[in-house]
Amino acid sequence: MRFAAVLNQDGGTLRTTDVSAFAERLRQTLEAAGHSVQIDIVARREVAAALERVVAKRNVDVVIAGGGDGTVSTAASLLMNKKKALAILPGGTMNLFARGLGIPQTLDGALKSFAEGEVTAVDMASANGRPFVHQFSIGMHARMVQLREKMDFGSRLGKMTASVRAAWATIKNPRTLKVTLTIGKTEIITRATGISISNNLFGEGHLPYADNPAGGLLGIYVSVARRRRDLVRLLLAMLRGKWRDSQHVEIHQADKATLKIRSPTKKFSAVMDGELFGLERETVIEIHPGALNVLVPARNAQAKAA
């Protein structure tokens, strides 16, 4: 296969890695397996443009995105509904989409899996036409990301520490949103502390990522917890993959949902694949089955086919 790699030298694990040395290992590993590869090492501000260039090239079969969640999400958006496949070098904090695909969680482990990997199709989702691969959230999660972005951190551990601090600050002063959520013919009117909608249902017993990335259904999670202790319990349940055990979250599934904000505040924020953006008062979220080709370890592709 013909690979093109874009490595974000400012993103996630790559920020503290000798990127030039890793790029050489990447080249040697793929060429030893009979593949060809071209590699671009870029700064964060250049990632989107670099990905656009390689996606546009005709002589590329697989685009390797190396960096955090933002880099992976940008690459997936550009590759949506295209024949080229995405390969993920998991350099983020949690790498939740990569985990769902069975990608090894170290850079070198992921690299080795590419050499004998296979291409398979998985789902993507969108919010008002804006694609995402993992999760769209409003309420507590968006507030937590807003607070975390104001903190200084220069490493993966620093980001995790900042996330814990931001989560606690959010839980201490919870805010609610009055929303209408339409799922099929059902209309839910509620005051929620948070709503998360995932690209396929989260699995049980682990961090929140989809066990089946080609399941064809959105996972819709509505937090009805308001008291501090209940929010703490919900956060712990989420981290342990015990969503269904919590009495403070309502879970739904559908291929499409419409979210309307009823609260009087003028400006709202949402977080999608870890990135903040302005939220419209009405958002249509839908899933797009098989819209993304991905390179996964061969055993994962075989298990999916079985």
Side-chain angles (χ1 to χ4, degrees), residues 210-224:
D211 285 337
N212 181 6
L217 288 172
L218 301 168
I220 303 167
Y221 303 85
V222 182
S223 167
V224 294

Side-chain angles (χ1 to χ4, degrees), residues 124-129 132 218 255-257 284-288:
M124 289 189 68
S126 66
N128 282 354
F132 65 95
L218 301 168
D255 58 4
K256 183 177 181 179
V284 177
I285 303 99
E286 52 191 324
I287 200 159
H288 305 275

Side-chain angles (χ1 to χ4, degrees), residues 67-136:
D69 294 338
T71 300
V72 172
S73 186
T74 299
S77 298
L78 293 168
L79 290 166
M80 185 176 181
N81 295 320
K82 289 184 169 57
K83 291 184 179 179
K84 292 182 177 69
L86 170 66
I88 300 173
L89 280 170
T93 306
M94 293 293 188
N95 306 311
L96 296 171
F97 184 56
R99 289 176 189 269
L101 299 177
I103 306 297
Q105 290 300 293
T106 63
L107 293 175
D108 284 294
L111 166 57
K112 291 175 183 176
S113 77
F114 296 161
E116 303 297 331
E118 295 184 10
V119 174
T120 189
V122 297
D123 305 336
M124 289 189 68
S126 66
N128 282 354
R130 180 171 177 166
F132 65 95
V133 294
H134 177 58
Q135 181 178 257
F136 162 96

